[in-house]
Amino acid sequence: MKVLVIGGGAREHALCRSLSLDPDVNALYCAPGNAGIAEVAELRPVDALDGAAVAGLATELGADLVVIGPEAPLVAGVADAVRAAGIPVFGPSAEAAQLEGSKAFAKDVMAAAGVPTARSYVCTTPEEVEAALDAFGAPYVVKDDGLAAGKGVVVTGDLDAAREHALACDRVVIEEYLDGPEVSLFAITDGTTVLPLQPAQDFKRALDGDEGPNTGGMGAYSPLPWADPKLVDEVLETVLQPTVDELRHRGTPFSGLLYAGLAITSRGVRVIEFNARFGDPETQVVLARLRTPLAGLLLNAAQGTLESQPPLAWREEAAVTVVIASHNYPGTPRTGDPIEGLAEVAAEDGPDTYVLHAGTRHEGGAVVSAGGRVLSVTATGSDLAQAREKAYKAVARIRLEGSHHRTDIAAKAAGTA
Ligand code: AMP
Ligand code: GLY
């Protein structure tokens, strides 16, 4: 099978790594990719937001499957363009991707499907904003309606800060605060059949102890030893299947990866958000544990034949990933700094510890930073404590001036905090 992956972050590196290990894959391309992905796939330049260009590239390569990583191309209709060219594509249509592209659309689908989520108001005027903030009280949850790479959400006890963010958005969703731990649960779906993956937990805040601003995610781990073993079945029944059914009934079936961001509250499971693609950095730990070959699974989803997919197989090992971010991330990051220590990790740390690249590129003979999140250092181990130790040992070998990372990824779950 020839596979083309669209994107160039650590999630796409994790996807390409798994696809490169799949014996059914005999050619693997990534566009545009990054310096790390170049080690496992052949890179092609492409404007990932240009559907005609992506479809053209897939045709030229004779791809049997196109996998679209990030949300922006999905929302821009790139999957539709590839599908129209007659090539199977893993990723939803632009219409179905509105589940991620518009928080207001997602709320509407959830209401229609009876999916539990935070109560919310969609506001477009200062008066509506004021009334909604007043109705829910602190802590305030204020979300920009459009795509914002995880950074359009402000959760704060400060009324002025909440008001300021709300007024800076054209259309804003203001909602009830959900307490309790967060879980990211991914499901592969072809629009009818839904196959949940193993749950993971992300660390959204920039600093240790869940302090600092929201980011795209600073680290993740899986499995979740503290979670109810029935959680996945419950979420399949109350969230994933009803959402997929609702979108199919609307005539906009969702095929691809349905990501449920959940809060496990004292009153039960609630959806915080949906995403229309694999999460980053959670994908790094979920795929590290998935034993089932990835290409056939994604192709089954793309072709509407997921019903024939054998049950998924998982490794017993635990996985942890730690994100190394540029100076000033999640603000405007500094880029172009050389990254050192990658060869040491590869030489010293064994096959279960590896560095997935997010924002990196080659410059001369060096690998330099090229984005906010730069690397996602991933390790598997017999349990979370061991996976964590291995990941942090590798993090310590990496030198990137001004960079920062959290030191407490999976610490609580591993029982080491
Ligand atoms: P989102 O982009 O909707 O996932 O929001 C980003 C982060 O903000 C989430 O992962 C949560 O940590 C936090 N958040 C979003 N909505 C809520 C809510 N209703 N209650 C509490 N925290 C929230
Ligand atoms: N890790 C959060 C996301 O992918 O949206």
Side-chain angles (χ1 to χ4, degrees):
M1 199 192 305
K2 285 188 186 164
V3 184
L4 168 62
V5 175
I6 301 301
R11 161 188 50 216
E12 287 76 29
H13 195 172
L15 287 163
C16 285
R17 179 178 182 275
S18 292
L19 289 165
S20 74
L21 297 171
D22 183 337
D24 283 339
V25 176
N26 50 31
L28 181 61
Y29 304 93
C30 185
N34 62 36
I37 297 174
E39 289 169 24
V40 292
E42 194 177 318
L43 302 193
R44 292 299 173 112
V46 82
D47 174 358
L49 296 179
D50 181 340
V54 172
L57 177 63
T59 305
E60 177 200 321
L61 295 172
D64 302 296
L65 172 68
V66 176
V67 179
I68 301 181
E71 60 274 20
L74 294 166
V75 170
V78 172
D80 305 80
V82 175
R83 224 172 258 125
I87 299 168
V89 55
F90 183 81
S93 67
E95 276 182 299
Q98 281 303 304
L99 204 56
E100 171 163 5
S102 164
K103 306 233 181 235
F105 176 79
K107 286 289 185 188
D108 186 62
V109 170
M110 284 190 263
V115 168
T117 185
R119 288 178 297 126
S120 66
Y121 294 107
V122 181
C123 308
T124 51
T125 67
E127 293 72 32
E128 286 171 358
V129 164
E130 217 49 51
L133 292 174
D134 190 49
F136 291 126
Y140 302 99
V141 181
V142 181
K143 302 185 174 187
D144 191 339
D145 184 42
L147 282 184
K151 290 172 274 180
V153 176
V154 166
V155 180
T156 176
D158 179 348
L159 179 59
D160 288 331
R163 194 182 279 135
E164 190 188 337
H165 182 59
L167 296 177
C169 306
D170 284 340
R171 207 158 108 105
V172 68
V173 176
I174 295 180
E175 67 180 36
E176 167 193 19
Y177 177 79
L178 299 173
D179 62 353
E182 286 180 39
V183 171
S184 300
L185 185 62
F186 303 163
I188 309 275
T189 177
D190 60 4
T192 303
T193 301
V194 182
L195 274 189
L197 305 183
Q198 292 274 312
Q201 190 171 49
D202 181 15
F203 293 76
K204 289 256 168 67
R205 301 285 188 143
L207 307 175
D208 281 1
D210 293 329
E211 301 285 339
N214 264 318
T215 69
M218 295 298 291
Y221 67 92
S222 178
L224 312 180
W226 50 269
D228 183 340
K230 294 193 293 292
L231 177 72
V232 173
D233 287 340
E234 182 193 336
V235 175
L236 175 61
E237 194 181 317
T238 60
V239 173
L240 300 167
Q241 191 70 57
T243 301
V244 166
D245 291 344
E246 171 64 22
L247 285 162
R248 189 179 62 254
H249 294 145
R250 288 181 180 215
T252 53
F254 185 102
S255 88
L257 192 291
L258 177 59
Y259 166 139
L262 307 163
I264 315 299
T265 76
S266 46
R267 292 183 297 136
V269 173
R270 299 280 183 279
V271 173
I272 293 181
E273 64 162 349
F274 282 125
N275 292 318
R277 37 83 196 166
F278 279 100
D280 190 348
E282 300 96 311
T283 299
Q284 288 86 299
V285 291
V286 172
L287 292 185
R289 300 186 54 230
L290 181 66
R291 207 189 276 280
T292 301
L294 189 60
L297 174 62
L298 302 185
L299 186 65
N300 268 333
Q303 292 185 317
T305 51
L306 207 50
E307 211 183 8
S308 67
Q309 174 72 37
L312 300 179
W314 297 92
R315 278 182 240 287
E316 288 300 313
E317 286 86 353
V320 170
T321 194
V322 178
V323 170
I324 298 181
S326 295
H327 179 71
N328 203 41
Y329 176 78
T332 307
R334 197 175 80 198
T335 59
D337 291 308
I339 303 164
E340 285 165 29
L342 295 170
E344 278 126 276
V345 176
E348 306 288 334
D349 289 339
D352 299 336
T353 304
Y354 46 92
V355 179
L356 298 169
H357 291 219
T360 70
R361 61 183 158 82
H362 284 292
E363 199 176 274
V367 175
V368 303
S369 59
R373 290 187 291 177
V374 181
L375 301 169
S376 189
V377 181
T378 309
T380 56
S382 55
D383 58 16
L384 284 175
Q386 199 196 56
R388 201 175 174 270
E389 202 182 295
K390 286 160 81 174
Y392 276 109
K393 189 171 161 208
V395 166
R397 296 187 195 275
I398 307 238
R399 293 172 302 280
L400 170 61
E401 208 183 299
S403 68
H404 61 100
H405 64 267
R406 281 182 61 157
T407 66
D408 62 349
I409 303 301
K412 215 161 119 191
T416 50

